[in-house]
Amino acid sequence: EWILAAKDQIDGNPAARKMHLEQLLKLHPADKRAHSQMGFYYRSMGDDATALRHFTESVKLDKNYAPAYNNIGYSNLTLGRYAESERAFKTYIKLIPKNPNPYDSYAELLMKTGEYDKSLEQYNRALVIDPAFINSYRGIGNNYAYKGDFTKARESYQRMFDKASDDGLRDLALQSAMNSYVTEGKIDKALEVNEQRRAIAQKAGDSVSLIGIST
């Protein structure tokens, strides 16, 4: 049932995916991973309230099940329940302190709530653990952009670009840099970055990305 649900997700068939996950839960109602899979489904459908119930059930079944706390944090973040989100992310950190992802997740909450310096501390902690944890470079850049320091923001986006393992991540770094130029009012510079994006997509023969790149 889990495999069939995964296939339906890839095939873009949410109704069939839900049906298989419901069957999975009928077969294994006390399985923390089954509840988490159902939580992922509801998050993907924009129903974080229902997703939260399933992620919470996962940790009721196993209080040390770290991945569920990450999702509890994000569902609460989406629902605007920042204190609950913070508690979940801090528990996530406590459970797997040598993994960069919990710090990155907590940093995202802090950025969302405007605590940019504290967010930067957490993103940097993630990178101390794993310098190749690419998303944290973007988070650092976004924090600096929110603080109005666009030069430092683009320095971090450039580090993300340099360490990116594929063109999709490189394009995300360039999008971030482009948006920072737009926010700063430097439209000519933004257009230059957009041309970099176009050149990479053309070289890769990526027609889908080319369609999505602004002209």
Side-chain angles (χ1 to χ4, degrees):
E1 296 298 338
W2 190 337
I3 291 169
L4 291 170
K7 180 180 184 300
D8 291 328
Q9 182 180 6
I10 292 169
D11 291 343
N13 191 342
R17 179 188 175 195
K18 182 183 180 184
M19 178 188 69
H20 287 299
L21 290 175
E22 287 173 340
Q23 184 62 22
L24 178 65
L25 276 174
K26 286 180 182 178
L27 292 167
H28 302 283
D31 190 290
K32 60 192 177 186
R33 294 176 180 84
H35 280 282
S36 284
Q37 287 301 310
M38 186 60 88
F40 291 137
Y41 164 78
Y42 280 110
R43 277 195 70 198
S44 73
M45 300 303 290
D47 186 352
D48 276 276
T50 304
L52 185 58
R53 290 202 293 271
H54 285 283
F55 293 131
T56 301
E57 185 62 29
S58 291
V59 299
K60 285 180 181 178
L61 292 164
D62 182 355
K63 65 179 181 180
N64 294 320
Y65 186 47
Y69 287 101
N70 190 38
N71 288 287
I72 288 170
Y74 275 113
S75 286
N76 276 309
L77 177 57
T78 300
L79 293 167
R81 300 171 181 172
Y82 300 137
E84 292 88 342
S85 178
E86 183 173 32
R87 280 196 294 271
F89 287 140
K90 284 184 173 180
T91 302
Y92 187 33
I93 290 171
K94 184 178 179 180
L95 287 170
I96 49 172
K98 295 182 179 180
N99 188 301
N101 196 64
Y103 303 99
D104 182 272
S105 297
Y106 184 33
E108 190 170 344
L109 165 66
L110 293 168
M111 182 170 60
K112 175 79 172 180
T113 55
E115 297 188 72
Y116 304 127
D117 291 333
K118 290 182 179 180
S119 177
L120 285 166
E121 289 176 11
Q122 296 300 318
Y123 278 126
N124 280 305
R125 289 183 72 179
L127 290 171
V128 167
I129 294 170
D130 183 0
F133 198 75
I134 201 81
N135 288 332
S136 288
Y137 291 105
R138 185 168 183 249
I140 288 171
N142 289 345
N143 270 296
Y144 279 120
Y146 289 135
K147 285 163 64 74
D149 192 337
F150 296 105
T151 298
K152 282 190 175 181
R154 287 189 287 271
E155 287 174 358
S156 194
Y157 299 143
Q158 184 61 51
R159 286 194 289 274
M160 178 184 178
F161 181 91
D162 293 340
K163 290 182 177 291
S165 58
D166 57 54
D167 284 345
L169 290 170
R170 280 185 278 272
D171 185 64
L172 185 58
L174 290 174
Q175 283 186 57
S176 300
M178 181 182 70
N179 291 337
S180 75
Y181 278 124
V182 171
T183 303
E184 197 177 4
K186 296 182 177 180
I187 305 303
D188 289 345
K189 289 288 188 180
L191 290 171
E192 289 177 12
V193 176
N194 199 52
E195 286 306 309
Q196 286 182 258
R197 296 177 62 210
R198 189 189 308 282
I200 291 173
Q202 286 178 332
K203 183 178 180 180
D206 188 350
S207 58
V208 174
S209 292
L210 279 170
I211 290 170
I213 293 174
S214 303
T215 57

